[in-house]
């Protein structure tokens, strides 16, 4: 398991999620076709977050996205308007062994 932390901006296009890191001037994207599930979690005393489970070939990747303020909710609403709306939920998919 590899954990890396970045701070930056996230954009949703019609076919992918794009992340641009503010500090390192790097970017990466996540095509919609490899996203299996997106889980939104609203917490009372901590930042809201999004977990994205993606897979390509035999590799499974769990992305944890934390947002300032109401950013996770706004991000979820943008994804609900996209072609992957059926993959976005408030229900945990983590009971299957992913954490």
């Amino acid at each position: 398991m590899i954990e890396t932390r970045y701070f930056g901006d996230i954009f949703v296009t019609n076919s992918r999620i794009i992340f641009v890191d503010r500090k390192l001037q790097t970017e990466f994207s996540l095509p919609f076709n490899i996203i299996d599930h997106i889980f939104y979690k609203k917490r009372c005393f901590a930042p809201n977050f999004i977990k994205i489970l993606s897979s390509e070939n035999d590799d499974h990747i769990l992305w944890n996205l934390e947002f300032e303020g109401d950013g996770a909710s706004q991000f979820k609403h943008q994804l609900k308007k996209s072609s992957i709306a059926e993959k976005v939920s408030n229900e945990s998919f983590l009971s299957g062994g992913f954490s």
Side-chain angles (χ1 to χ4, degrees):
M1 182 166 148
I2 298 172
E3 182 175 325
T4 306
R5 293 182 184 262
Y6 295 101
F7 299 92
D9 299 305
I10 294 178
F11 305 93
V12 178
T13 71
N14 60 346
S15 63
R16 63 184 60 236
I17 298 169
I18 300 171
F19 175 82
V20 180
D21 181 41
R22 291 180 189 159
K23 188 175 182 180
L24 300 176
Q25 302 291 325
T26 61
E27 66 181 59
F28 59 86
S29 66
L30 185 60
F32 285 169
N33 64 337
I34 66 168
I35 294 176
D36 297 322
H37 195 86
I38 299 172
F39 169 62
Y40 166 76
K41 178 68 173 174
K42 184 174 182 178
R43 301 187 284 187
C44 293
F45 301 109
N48 298 336
F49 68 89
I50 301 276
K51 288 186 180 278
I52 300 174
L53 178 63
S54 65
S55 59
E56 188 172 27
N57 301 324
D58 290 332
D59 297 327
H60 298 283
I61 301 169
L62 181 63
W63 304 85
N64 293 306
L65 308 175
E66 284 193 16
F67 294 81
E68 296 176 353
D70 194 33
S73 176
Q74 294 173 8
F75 187 67
K76 177 189 80 165
H77 290 300
Q78 288 300 316
L79 291 173
K80 283 285 199 178
K81 297 176 186 176
S82 72
S83 61
I84 57 168
E86 73 281 354
K87 297 181 181 183
V88 181
S89 74
N90 293 335
E91 299 174 4
S92 177
F93 63 89
L94 301 178
S95 60
F98 295 97
S99 60

